[in-house]
Amino acid sequence: MTAFLMTRLSSTLIGILGVLCLVFLLIHLIPGDPVEVMLGESALQADKEALRHSLGLNLPLHQQWWDYMRSLLRLDLGHSLFSGRPILDLLVERIPATLYLSLVSLTIAITLALPLGLLAATHKHQPWDLGAMGFALLGMSIPNFWLGPILILVGSLWLGWFPVSGQEGWNAVLLPALTLGTAMAAILARMVRSSLLETLGEDFLRTAQAKGLSPTRILLVHALPNSLLPILTLLGLQLGGLLGGAVITETVFAWPGLGLLMIEAIQQRDYPVVQAAVLCISLTYILVNLLTDVVYAWLDPRIQFKRP
Amino acid sequence: MIPQFLISSVRKSPRFIIIIHWPATLLILALGLVFGACSSQPDPNTIRMGVAQAPTNLDPRYATDATSARINRLLYSRLVDFEQDATPVPSLATWVQQSPTHYVFTLRDHVPEFHNGQGVTSQDIKATYESILSPHNASPHRGVLHIIDRMETPSDTEISFYLKRTDPFFPSYLVIGILPANLIANRHPFSDHPIGNGPFRFLDRPDETRVRLVRQTDGQLVEFLRIPDPTVRVLKLLAGEIQLLQNDLPPELVAYLANQPTLHLQQSRGANFAYLGFNHQDPLTGNILVRQAIAHAINREDIIRYVFQNRARQAQALFPPDHWAGPVQLTGYPYDPDRARTLLAEAGFGISHRPTLIYKTSTDPFRLRLATIIQDQLSRVGIDVVIQSHDWGTFYGDIKTGRFQMYSLAWVGVKTPDIFRYAFHSQSIPPTGANRGRFASPIADHLIEQAEVSTNRTEQRTLYHDLQVHFLETLPYIPLWFEDHICFSSTEITGYRLESDGNFDGLLQVQRNTSTTHVASIRSPAI
């Protein structure tokens, strides 16, 4: 296990390094100059040069990259070019909002997807199955930028149960979480169905049946746990995506999360913030994937981490 | 076949009990978070305004965006303000021009104190402008104020500005909020804790999306909420979560809100000049016949009627007729597709030889829609248009470096005719100025220079009129329209007046109709 973790961590580090280099290069190579955004066009050329110098943007790209990497090794993410605030503070402000939204969305997704998938798998090709999979298709097809305002219309304007946007009140998270959760639930429900259908044909379930166990027990205690591995893979990917910041949903609901921070930083060409946000997102993805692998082994003792 | 012992081990394993119940586990966790992270409910007495972008800087020395400028107007006072026709008028101080390069400003009586209780003196004015002029501070306003050679403060109420050269528009540049000199010296973080002497004082910024101010006269709380999505801004207004919404709405949402009985619509003539810009060094767009053909091919009347729903007016020049330097009764280019085809034929183009133009615009959905309409209208006269839409940074970067044939943009908040030198003089090619299309006309240069040395307002007006007639003939830009300012307020509030330049000064009088008036008992932030 330790060897496995070490191998994974080393490949993870290489992955992060690759992501960092790529993002650093891309954000510096695309047109748009933070100094121009900060000072405006009417600023004196000398002032623009002075600011570029003080921000270190006049240095050759490789020098800037090297400085950035050295700062990272010291765990110094730098300061925002615009607000001048430490980037760590910005991330600390935004990450809890994203984490909170992600967890609630995931809860909604699982709560919807498991019963739907179970229902569809146990009533294969029957109206329940068609209904559940129809919902799944709908959930996958509806874009968040449309579903979000529709949920606001129904939940906030017609019913008056939720605030329209922002973080006002304990229930403010539910509409953005529903927007994200239903789309995730749709994909997840399909995965639960197909994975369960595969497991339901296994010999050990016939044995369980022959032993006289109740269908519910067979389904929930034997079939479902044994079909969890592919579901878990998907959940890991979805959680990674959520923690990376659901940009569209965060924009629609004015939810001050990581995705919104990154988009704003890209628009302003706030290089250090973009780099830090991408670093944060890629780390999240990698950690969630790593966690998924560990949970695999924990879930199914047959899986062992051995070199081939 | 999986051995039986595995099945039994699976069944007995406690980890699977957790897995079976993990939705419940997660739900409990999430609920815990819900209660742990729940935010405060909005105060029912606060007046809330939805804005598309949060203010980026509440220090007037560094702010450049429109939201910051409008909120800073409420927090700080300035030496000079503008009349409806953009004529500069005294605000904190009156002025006398002692010589072409020497202005004396005298503070008016009963100037409000700073929000920390200090009185305003000429030292504060001097310190504010000195900090802007200091190259170490990298203020974006230094470029405009660089003309100041030195300042002297003969008394607490008087300050003299000595200029490096004459500039008849100099008072118009002194519109930046004044800060206390001692706090400037102590490097007070004004952006986080603004302290000015404006009609509102800063209360707090609970998070990146909200800014709260308190009205000095009666303690009324006003909150600005950043809501990026226009549809959500509208829904928030309809749900009563905000009471005011001003501009930044697509026309279809404006039309929808206008029909809502619970909302009050105010509309005023805007002065933000929308135009089509050209690269004059490009063989195609550098040809005046092609530009004139484009001007005749665009049906601005229909665009204003059907797309803007008559909430805009046609532009013939950079300044509208109600600006003191705006030309009156200019005849532009009427929609005339036949004339456009004739002009194209004169330029050597026809059915078998259609010109193709690249039209750059931003990713804003409404601007893209306008671009596709213009694309269609130009196609009807024989000009093929390829639209390239880029994110703002890339688009603006391309425009400034001259990487375009045609683009659409708007000049926002321009009040002083020094814009003509900045945008059209042949010496103002970037990075020196904003002559992005590399337009060069000796006649335009001469008229700009003449108007700059004239001290007679009537003569200046004539020169600027001639200049704008010249622009209409030579078409460095094709003038499109001035969009109206729009404001929706809920019936919960009264007294909000929409200002002609779209600022938020209407908040000085606005009242929320609740049974009790909320008086903020919250103290000013600690300095």
Side-chain angles (χ1 to χ4, degrees):
Chain A
M1 187 72 169
T2 314
F4 165 76
L5 282 177
M6 291 312 291
T7 318
R8 282 304 308 265
L9 278 175
S10 55
S11 64
T12 295
L13 282 176
I14 294 168
I16 291 173
L17 191 70
V19 169
L20 284 177
C21 294
L22 204 64
V23 171
F24 182 90
L25 269 178
L26 287 177
I27 191 76
H28 281 80
L29 291 180
I30 55 170
D33 182 354
V35 170
E36 292 278 356
V37 182
M38 289 163 83
L39 292 186
E41 265 185 301
S42 59
L44 297 175
Q45 194 56 24
D47 287 354
K48 290 181 189 172
E49 289 310 320
L51 184 60
R52 205 165 273 129
H53 186 264
S54 73
L55 297 173
L57 296 171
N58 61 326
L59 297 171
L61 206 56
H62 68 269
Q63 182 68 45
Q64 290 185 49
W65 177 83
W66 179 240
D67 290 347
Y68 173 59
M69 288 297 164
R70 280 195 314 179
S71 312
L72 270 187
L73 284 177
R74 296 195 304 267
L75 299 179
D76 176 14
L77 291 172
H79 289 72
S80 160
L81 295 182
F82 286 83
S83 62
R85 295 181 60 199
I87 293 170
L88 197 61
D89 288 2
L90 291 175
L91 293 179
V92 165
E93 267 174 27
R94 301 293 187 111
I95 287 173
T98 295
L99 192 67
Y100 175 37
L101 179 62
S102 306
L103 285 182
V104 181
S105 308
L106 198 68
T107 309
I108 290 173
I110 295 169
T111 313
L112 286 174
L114 276 185
L116 277 177
L118 281 168
L119 203 65
T122 51
H123 298 78
K124 193 181 169 191
H125 300 318
Q126 289 174 26
W128 281 111
D129 182 22
L130 292 176
M133 288 306 103
F135 165 81
L137 189 68
L138 209 65
M140 278 188 288
S141 318
I142 295 176
N144 287 356
F145 62 81
W146 186 84
L147 182 63
I150 293 295
L151 286 177
I152 294 173
L153 207 61
V154 176
S156 304
L157 284 185
W158 296 351
L159 300 173
W161 291 351
F162 308 99
V164 172
S165 67
Q167 285 184 304
E168 294 146 11
W170 65 271
N171 54 353
V173 73
L174 291 178
L175 288 187
L178 262 177
T179 309
L180 286 170
T182 43
M184 279 170 54
I187 303 166
L188 210 56
R190 289 188 78 87
M191 180 56 87
V192 172
R193 178 185 180 271
S194 62
S195 182
L196 255 181
L197 281 175
E198 208 171 294
T199 315
L200 285 173
E202 296 280 343
D203 289 343
F204 72 90
L205 286 182
R206 272 197 291 279
T207 312
Q209 255 178 323
K211 280 172 66 183
L213 295 182
S214 72
T216 317
R217 189 175 174 78
I218 291 172
L219 192 68
L220 294 182
V221 181
H222 295 288
L224 186 60
N226 283 290
S227 3
L228 276 179
L229 289 189
I231 299 168
L232 201 71
T233 312
L234 188 64
L235 264 180
L237 285 173
Q238 288 184 327
L239 183 64
L242 279 179
L243 292 174
V247 175
I248 294 171
T249 310
E250 284 184 2
T251 307
V252 167
F253 288 94
W255 191 263
L258 198 59
L260 206 55
L261 176 73
M262 191 172 68
I263 284 294
E264 288 164 353
I266 290 172
Q267 284 167 352
Q268 291 179 318
R269 301 292 189 266
D270 198 341
Y271 298 152
V273 177
V274 177
Q275 284 157 191
V278 172
L279 174 68
C280 193
I281 290 168
S282 53
L283 272 178
T284 308
Y285 256 106
I286 287 164
L287 281 178
V288 168
N289 273 327
L290 193 65
L291 205 67
T292 311
D293 283 349
V294 174
V295 173
Y296 266 14
W298 179 66
L299 263 182
D300 190 343
R302 291 169 299 172
I303 298 175
Q304 290 187 4
F305 302 108
K306 282 182 183 168
R307 286 175 191 282
Chain B
M1 175 74 81
I2 299 168
Q4 177 64 35
F5 72 88
L6 182 64
I7 296 171
S8 52
S9 76
V10 164
R11 191 179 60 213
K12 283 175 193 164
S13 167
R15 68 190 63 148
F16 278 114
I17 294 167
I18 294 170
I19 295 304
I20 295 295
H21 296 289
W22 75 341
T25 313
L26 272 174
L27 189 65
I28 291 162
L29 184 69
L31 282 176
L33 271 170
V34 167
F35 291 109
C38 71
S39 309
S40 59
Q41 295 281 350
D43 178 353
N45 297 310
T46 303
I47 294 170
R48 308 173 96 213
M49 184 182 234
V51 290
Q53 279 147 356
T56 53
N57 205 319
L58 294 178
D59 186 335
R61 296 171 297 170
Y62 302 104
T64 50
D65 63 293
T67 313
S68 300
R70 285 169 181 162
I71 294 179
N72 284 341
R73 264 186 77 83
L74 303 173
L75 292 168
Y76 304 90
S77 299
R78 60 220 73 81
L79 289 182
V80 175
D81 217 330
F82 291 101
E83 284 274 24
Q84 289 271 1
D85 69 349
T87 306
V89 288
S91 179
L92 271 185
T94 54
W95 73 86
V96 176
Q97 187 175 8
Q98 301 278 21
S99 77
T101 55
H102 179 202
Y103 288 79
V104 177
F105 282 74
T106 309
L107 279 173
R108 295 176 130 178
D109 297 334
H110 312 300
V111 166
E113 291 176 339
F114 285 115
H115 302 149
N116 61 359
Q118 285 175 233
V120 178
T121 67
S122 55
Q123 293 299 331
D124 299 310
I125 301 167
K126 186 169 182 245
T128 302
Y129 283 100
E130 272 178 349
S131 73
I132 291 170
L133 291 170
S134 165
H136 305 295
N137 289 336
S139 164
H141 305 295
R142 185 170 174 250
V144 174
L145 294 167
H146 193 58
I147 190 172
I148 299 172
D149 184 36
R150 64 194 159 89
M151 288 169 274
E152 285 174 7
T153 50
S155 74
D156 273 358
T157 56
E158 214 174 85
I159 179 165
S160 285
F161 288 91
Y162 294 92
L163 309 186
K164 291 173 184 163
R165 56 177 167 81
T166 54
D167 188 332
F169 308 120
F170 174 68
S172 308
Y173 306 152
L174 303 180
V175 289
I176 293 164
I178 303 301
L179 316 170
N182 60 333
L183 296 186
I184 294 174
N186 292 339
R187 306 197 73 80
H188 175 78
F190 285 97
S191 189
D192 298 330
H193 299 291
I195 293 171
N197 70 330
F200 283 79
R201 74 170 191 270
F202 176 77
L203 177 60
D204 60 7
R205 200 166 185 169
D207 54 60
E208 285 292 305
T209 63
R210 298 192 292 158
V211 176
R212 300 199 300 166
L213 311 183
V214 181
R215 194 159 58 199
Q216 289 287 81
T217 50
D218 59 359
Q220 172 65 53
L221 242 73
V222 172
E223 184 170 345
F224 296 93
L225 266 97
R226 190 214 39 191
I227 312 159
D229 189 277
T231 310
V232 177
R233 278 202 297 282
V234 164
L235 292 171
K236 227 164 158 63
L237 181 67
L238 290 172
E241 290 178 26
I242 56 173
Q243 288 74 44
L244 279 164
L245 204 50
Q246 191 170 303
N247 293 331
D248 296 320
L249 289 175
E252 60 273 14
L253 284 178
V254 173
Y256 171 73
L257 287 181
N259 291 324
Q260 300 300 313
T262 54
L263 298 177
H264 175 56
L265 165 67
Q266 289 183 68
Q267 198 171 331
S268 75
R269 293 290 196 197
N272 293 340
F273 170 68
Y275 64 90
L276 275 183
F278 299 98
N279 188 340
H280 293 263
Q281 291 179 340
D282 183 271
L284 189 60
T285 48
N287 186 338
I288 179 66
L289 294 171
V290 174
R291 296 201 299 276
Q292 285 176 337
I294 293 170
H296 277 299
I298 296 173
N299 190 342
R300 293 181 296 165
E301 203 181 317
D302 274 4
I303 294 175
I304 288 171
R305 184 185 302 149
Y306 298 113
V307 181
F308 286 100
Q309 317 219 350
N310 287 323
R311 292 192 174 91
R313 56 180 161 160
Q314 281 197 37
Q316 314 296 358
L318 196 148
F319 286 120
D322 40 8
H323 188 281
W324 72 263
V328 282
Q329 293 175 335
L330 269 192
T331 312
Y333 290 79
Y335 174 57
D336 188 347
D338 291 333
R339 177 86 186 116
R341 285 185 202 100
T342 312
L343 285 163
L344 275 181
E346 282 176 35
F349 298 102
I351 297 167
S352 56
H353 179 37
R354 289 166 69 97
T356 301
L357 274 175
I358 291 172
Y359 177 177
K360 290 197 174 177
T361 185
S362 67
T363 48
D364 181 294
F366 181 60
R367 303 297 146 194
L368 256 177
R369 209 165 96 206
L370 288 172
T372 55
I373 293 168
I374 290 172
Q375 179 188 42
D376 179 65
Q377 292 182 346
L378 295 186
S379 160
R380 288 165 195 234
V381 300
I383 301 172
D384 293 324
V385 173
V386 178
I387 296 173
Q388 286 185 359
S389 128
H390 299 288
D391 82 285
W392 176 252
T394 309
F395 167 62
Y396 199 43
D398 279 358
I399 299 309
K400 281 185 297 193
T401 46
R403 285 195 297 268
F404 61 86
Q405 273 188 305
M406 184 168 89
Y407 68 96
S408 54
L409 254 180
W411 282 109
V412 177
V414 176
K415 291 192 167 167
T416 317
D418 61 337
I419 182 75
F420 289 122
R421 169 175 283 276
Y422 183 55
F424 300 105
H425 198 281
S426 57
Q427 288 175 356
S428 297
I429 288 166
T432 318
N435 185 352
R436 299 148 181 163
R438 279 69 180 160
F439 172 73
S441 159
I443 298 172
D445 289 356
H446 178 66
L447 285 168
I448 290 167
E449 287 157 14
Q450 266 197 309
E452 281 174 348
V453 293
S454 167
T455 49
N456 181 306
R457 180 54 67 91
T458 315
E459 189 191 6
Q460 279 178 340
R461 189 178 284 135
T462 310
L463 287 165
Y464 285 128
H465 179 275
D466 294 346
L467 179 66
Q468 288 170 95
V469 169
H470 176 67
F471 286 154
L472 207 55
E473 287 163 4
T474 50
L475 288 177
Y477 293 164
I478 290 180
L480 294 175
W481 42 72
F482 300 106
E483 287 179 40
D484 290 352
H485 293 299
I486 303 285
C487 175
F488 287 100
S489 50
S490 76
T491 45
E492 282 176 82
I493 62 160
T494 50
Y496 187 81
R497 199 184 73 236
L498 178 61
E499 296 293 327
S500 57
D501 64 354
N503 67 42
F504 298 154
D505 288 6
L507 290 169
L508 293 176
Q509 290 88 33
V510 70
Q511 294 293 336
R512 186 154 181 181
N513 305 324
T514 48
S515 52
T516 50
T517 308
H518 176 76
V519 178
S521 57
I522 309 148
R523 296 158 65 92
S524 291
I527 301 159

